[in-house]
Amino acid sequence: MSFSPSIFLNLLIAGIFLGGIYSLVSIGLTLIFGTLKLVNFAHGALMMVSMYLTFWLWALLGIDPLISLPISFGLFFSIGYALQKILIMPIIQRPVSAQMLMTLGLLLVIQNAVIMLWSATPRQVVTDFANLIFRYGELYINFPRFAAFVVAMTLSGILHLFLTRTDLGTAIRATAQDSETAKVLGIDVNKVYALSFGLGTACAAVAGNLISTFYPIDPFVGDTFLLMAFIAIVLGSMGNYIGAFIAGLILGVVEIFTAFVLSSLLRQAVPLIIFLLLLLLKPEGLFGGRLRE
Amino acid sequence: MNKKTIIMTVIASILIAGIAATAFFTTLLQPISVTPTVSGPQRVSEVRIGVLTPLTGPAAYFGEGQKAMAELMAKKINEEGGIRSLGGAKVRVIVADTEGKPEVGKIQAERLIVEEKVHLIIGALHSGVTSAASIEAERYGIPWICETSSHPDLTRRGFKWFFRIWGHDEIFAKEYFLLLRWLQEKTGIKINTIAFIAEETLFAVGVAHAWEKYNLDPNLGGYKVVANIRHPSGVSDLTSEALTLKAANPDVVFMVNTPIPDAILWTKTLKQVGFFPKALMTTGGFTFPAYLEAVGMDGEYIIGRGGWSLDLTSVKPKAKEVYEWYTRETGKDMHIYVMTMHAAMVLVRDVLERAGSVEPEKIRQALIETDLSGDEIMNPWKGIKFDGTGQNIYPIDLMVQVIDGKFRMIWPSGFQAVEPIFPAPSWEERK
C-alpha cells in the first residue's frame, strides 16, 4: 500500500486518537489491578453502562455529552466505590479464581441487565458537534475524537498529579507497593481500595462518555475496548499507570497502521502477537514495576 | 507461580481460546457422516419448537425480534385452537441463545434436542452458527427450518433434515449486478470501477465471493475491482479501511457486514474521510431501522438488499396485516429477520397440520411436500416449496434505497415504489 504524506498523517492522527481512548480505559484497569491486585473483567461493561448513561442524558434531557462528563465521573466514582465495598471487599483476600468469578459474574449481570432494560438495539448520540470535521487540505480532524483525546490527556494528567502530589494519592501508591506495610503505617487500606476502584471505574466511565458521540452504543461495546486494555496494561507493566497510558497510545497507532499497511484482518492479531511475544521475552512489561514510586 | 503470573497466564489463555474458536468456526463447513435415530410415536399434548437465535452479542437486536415473533406466533396458534390435526396440541416455543457463535449454537442445538426434546428447530440466523448447529439436528434426525442463513453451501451438504425457506447469497448477489446495469441504462452514467468490502464472517465472505464471481461474467459485471477489503467485525475504528477505499476511489462500493454498529461506524467514517461512491450497495447491518435511527440523514442514498420496507405494506396485504399486528403487540421494529421468522412459523403450523404427527419422519415428509402460498406470508415470495436439496425455490429479496430517511423500494420492477437516486451526491453536495 502506498503512502502519501496526507494519508500517513491522517492515519497517525486516527491512531493517536484511538490510542487515547485505549489509554484512558487501561489506566483505570491498571489502577485497580495495581492497588487491589484484582483483574476487573467488568471494567468494559461499566464503561458500556456509562455510554448508556450519556445516551439517556442526551436523549431524554438533552444534556450534551461534554456537559454530562462530570456527572459520569462523579456517578461512576460512587458506583465503583460502592461496588468495591459491597462485592469486591468480601473476596479480596480470596484466591484469584474467586476474584475472577466475581468480576466475570458482574460482567454478565451488567450486560444482561442492560439488554433487559434497554434491549440490544444499537444507539448513537448525535450532537451538533458530533459531525464537526475540521479540514486542512487533505487532513481531517474529527472534532469528537479530538475532544475525546484532549479530555483523556487532561484527565490522565490530573490523575498523575493526584497520585503523586496528594496524601491520598501517596496512600494509594503506598498500598499498591505493599499493602501490609501501608496498613502498619496507619493507612486505611480498605478505603484506599474503594478509592482506587472508584477512580478506575470513573476513568472507564469518562472513556465511555467520550466515545459515545462517535462510536455506536450496544450492550457488548465494552468487549472491544477491554481486549485492547488488557494488552495495554500488560505491555505497560501491570499496575504501572504511566506504562498503561503509553502502551494504549502505542496500540492505537499500531492497530491503525496494521489495518492500512498489512490487512484489516490483522488489526487485532498484530497487537496480540506483540502481547504474546512480550509475555515470552519480557513478562514484566515494557516499563517494569507496579505503580511508579 | 506468583499471582501475577497466574493472572497473565489466564488472560493469555482466554485470548488464545478466542483465536482457537475463530479457527474452529472456519473449518465447520465440512460434510460429516450422520447416523439418524428415529424416536417412536408419542401422544402429544404440545409440540415443542426450538428456536436458535442470538440474544446476546453484537447481533442481539436481530434475535430479540425473532424471539418476539416466534412467541407471538405460538400464542396466536394456541389461541386459535392449537394444531388441529394433533387434537389441538399446543405449540411451545423454546428459544435458545447462540450468542452468534458457532460453538455455542452447536451446544444449544444439542441441548434443545436432548434435554428439551424439541420436535423441530428453527434457526439460526448466522450462517456460521447454522452450519455448525444443524449438524446436531442431522445427527439426531430432527427437522431443521433455516429461516435466514444465506450461505450457499448450507443446502449443498446433502443433509436430509435441513430445509431453507430463505434464498442464498448467489441468488441475491446477482440482483446487485442487475440493478447496477439497470441504473446505468436509465441514467446513461457509466460505471468502470468497483470495490468490495466484507466483514470476516461466513455470511459476509460468502456474499463477497458471490459478488466476485458474478463480476467475472462480462455480461453481468466485468467492472475493474480497485479495492477488496476484509475486516473483522466489532472493530474499534475504521479509518484505515476508509482511507484505503478513498485512495482507490471506486465508482461503486459493494459492502457487506452483519452487525449494525459496524454499519454505523462505516457510515460515520466514510463521512469523516469525505468519501461516498456513486452508489453504495450494501447488505447486512445497513438495512435495519435501528441503523437509520442512529445515523440519521447520514444514511441517505445507501442502497441495500432490504427485505423490509414500509412500502411493502402498500403492495402486499399480508405484509400490512402482520406488520401492524407485530408492532402493536410488541412495540418492536419490523425487520427482515422478523419477517423470515414469521414465515418459518407459518410453515411450521402448515407442516404440523399436514403431518398429523410429531414423528420426525412424518414432519420431514410434510416438509418435502410443502406448497405454501405466498399469500400466507409477509415476504414478497410466490410461496414456499422445496427442491431436492431442501432449498425454497421462490425467495426473492427487495432492493431498497434510503430516501428522505426511509427505506424505499427501488427494485425489482414489480416492487418499485420510487425512482432511485443515482449517482448519489457527494458529502459536500449534501450541505
Side-chain angles (χ1 to χ4, degrees), chain B residues 68-122:
Chain B
M69 176 52 97
E71 287 170 350
L72 201 58
M73 276 299 286
K75 191 170 145 233
K76 180 178 150 77
I77 294 170
N78 292 338
E79 279 170 4
E80 289 170 8
I83 304 297
R84 290 195 193 88
S85 71
L86 289 169
K90 296 281 181 260
V91 170
R92 185 153 75 91
V93 166
I94 301 153
V95 184
D97 180 14
T98 66
E99 300 173 24
K101 296 174 186 161
E103 65 279 11
V104 179
K106 200 167 151 69
I107 293 165
Q108 289 282 37
E110 186 164 21
R111 184 180 72 79
L112 284 175
I113 296 167
V114 176
E115 285 175 28
E116 303 284 354
K117 302 201 168 15
V118 296
H119 301 107
L120 235 159
I121 292 181
I122 303 173

Side-chain angles (χ1 to χ4, degrees), chain B residues 19-217:
Chain B
I19 300 172
T22 317
F24 169 71
F25 144 46
T26 53
T27 58
L28 279 170
L29 264 177
Q30 310 297 329
I32 52 133
S33 62
V34 288
T35 48
T37 55
V38 179
S39 49
Q42 302 133 316
R43 270 175 49 81
V44 278
S45 56
E46 68 170 14
V47 188
R48 289 178 293 278
I49 314 291
V51 170
L52 280 168
T53 191
L55 296 174
T56 55
Y61 167 74
F62 307 144
E64 274 175 3
Q66 289 208 320
K67 177 173 186 280
M69 176 52 97
E71 287 170 350
L72 201 58
M73 276 299 286
K75 191 170 145 233
K76 180 178 150 77
I77 294 170
N78 292 338
E79 279 170 4
E80 289 170 8
I83 304 297
R84 290 195 193 88
S85 71
L86 289 169
K90 296 281 181 260
V91 170
R92 185 153 75 91
V93 166
I94 301 153
V95 184
D97 180 14
T98 66
E99 300 173 24
K101 296 174 186 161
E103 65 279 11
V104 179
K106 200 167 151 69
I107 293 165
Q108 289 282 37
E110 186 164 21
R111 184 180 72 79
L112 284 175
I113 296 167
V114 176
E115 285 175 28
E116 303 284 354
K117 302 201 168 15
V118 296
H119 301 107
L120 235 159
I121 292 181
I122 303 173
L125 205 141
H126 295 98
S127 288
V129 182
T130 304
S131 172
S134 58
I135 291 173
E136 294 301 319
E138 190 72 14
R139 200 152 68 89
Y140 286 97
I142 295 292
W144 182 293
I145 296 174
C146 170
E147 46 25 290
T148 341
S149 306
S150 54
H151 198 284
D153 288 352
L154 288 173
T155 40
R156 292 174 184 163
R157 297 177 296 177
F159 277 20
K160 189 178 159 198
W161 299 91
F162 190 83
F163 297 85
R164 170 158 60 190
I165 58 174
W166 184 236
H168 61 70
D169 295 320
E170 286 182 9
I171 302 174
F172 297 143
K174 198 175 173 183
E175 301 276 318
Y176 286 78
F177 288 93
L178 293 171
L179 170 61
L180 195 55
R181 191 169 66 190
W182 179 66
L183 287 173
Q184 292 177 79
E185 283 164 3
K186 247 172 102 67
T187 57
I189 291 165
K190 182 116 180 62
I191 295 299
N192 297 311
T193 55
I194 59 172
F196 298 121
I197 296 169
E199 156 215 33
E200 191 73 0
T201 58
L202 191 58
F203 157 71
V205 171
V207 173
H209 281 159
W211 279 336
E212 284 163 12
K213 195 181 116 185
Y214 284 116
N215 189 44
L216 293 178
D217 178 354

Side-chain angles (χ1 to χ4, degrees), chain B residues 35 70 74 112 144 188 220 328 330 396-397:
Chain B
T35 48
L112 284 175
W144 182 293
L220 209 54
R328 189 178 61 237
T330 66
I396 58 159
D397 204 358

Side-chain angles (χ1 to χ4, degrees), chain A residues 22 145 215 227 256 264 267, chain B residues 15 57 231 235-237 240-241:
Chain A
Y22 288 160
R145 285 170 190 264
Y215 201 80
L227 176 75
I256 293 286
S264 178
R267 62 183 309 148
Chain B
L15 296 175
H231 66 87
V235 290
S236 49
D237 189 277
S240 311
E241 292 78 358

Side-chain angles (χ1 to χ4, degrees), chain A residues 1 7 10-11 14 18 22 33 36-37 39 41 92 96 99-100 112 115 119-126 130-131 133 135 138 140 142 145 213-216 218 220 224-225 227 230-231 234 238 255-257 259-260 263-265 267-268 272 275-276 279 283-284 290, chain B residues 3-4 6-12 14-16 19 55-61 64 198-200 229-241 243-244 246-247 260-262 264-265 268-269 271-274 290-291 293-296 298 332-333 427-428 431:
Chain A
M1 191 53 72
I7 286 183
N10 275 314
L11 289 173
L18 180 64
Y22 288 160
F33 178 82
L36 285 82
K37 314 288 177 287
V39 178
F41 286 103
I92 199 73
V96 175
Q99 302 179 356
M100 286 192 166
N112 285 287
I115 294 175
S119 86
T121 309
R123 324 247 179 192
Q124 181 78 62
V125 176
V126 190
N131 286 324
I133 297 161
R135 277 177 206 281
E138 274 300 288
Y140 9 80
N142 176 309
R145 285 170 190 264
T213 51
F214 58 85
Y215 201 80
D218 73 72
F220 308 94
T224 311
F225 290 87
L227 176 75
F230 273 130
I231 301 176
V234 177
M238 294 185 80
E255 187 184 331
I256 293 286
F257 275 91
F260 190 84
S263 156
S264 178
L265 291 177
R267 62 183 309 148
Q268 282 159 341
L272 278 173
F275 172 78
L276 289 175
L279 280 187
E284 72 276 16
R290 291 249 167 84
Chain B
K3 194 169 164 181
K4 204 164 98 179
I6 299 174
I7 292 172
M8 290 203 291
T9 315
V10 171
I11 295 177
I14 292 172
L15 296 175
I16 291 165
I19 300 172
L55 296 174
T56 55
Y61 167 74
E64 274 175 3
E199 156 215 33
E200 191 73 0
I229 302 171
R230 298 281 154 84
H231 66 87
S233 62
V235 290
S236 49
D237 189 277
L238 285 164
T239 312
S240 311
E241 292 78 358
L243 284 171
T244 308
K246 189 184 183 184
I260 296 175
D262 284 5
I264 298 171
L265 197 59
K268 293 183 95 67
T269 314
K271 184 173 181 183
Q272 188 198 324
V273 305
Y291 162 79
E293 213 161 284
V295 297
D298 291 345
K332 290 181 186 296
D333 293 342
W427 294 109
E428 287 80 20
K431 278 164 196 160

Side-chain angles (χ1 to χ4, degrees), chain A residues 133-265:
Chain A
I133 297 161
F134 299 118
R135 277 177 206 281
Y136 304 98
E138 274 300 288
L139 202 65
Y140 9 80
I141 295 174
N142 176 309
F143 178 74
R145 285 170 190 264
F146 174 70
F149 180 73
V150 171
V151 174
M153 293 301 108
T154 314
L155 186 73
S156 306
I158 294 173
L159 196 70
H160 177 64
L161 289 177
F162 169 75
L163 287 172
T164 49
R165 303 287 158 84
T166 66
D167 286 350
L168 261 179
T170 312
I172 291 181
R173 286 186 300 130
T175 311
Q177 271 177 29
D178 187 340
S179 60
E180 290 304 316
T181 314
K183 218 179 277 178
V184 172
L185 291 173
I187 293 172
D188 184 349
V189 173
N190 283 332
K191 193 178 153 196
V192 167
Y193 283 166
L195 201 66
S196 307
F197 205 91
L199 272 179
T201 308
C203 285
V206 169
N209 174 293
L210 292 172
I211 65 172
S212 62
T213 51
F214 58 85
Y215 201 80
I217 306 164
D218 73 72
F220 308 94
V221 59
D223 301 350
T224 311
F225 290 87
L226 192 63
L227 176 75
M228 282 300 177
F230 273 130
I231 301 176
I233 67 169
V234 177
L235 204 63
S237 302
M238 294 185 80
N240 181 337
Y241 66 95
I242 295 176
F245 177 83
I246 298 170
L249 287 178
I250 294 174
L251 282 178
V253 175
V254 166
E255 187 184 331
I256 293 286
F257 275 91
T258 303
F260 190 84
V261 179
L262 295 173
S263 156
S264 178
L265 291 177

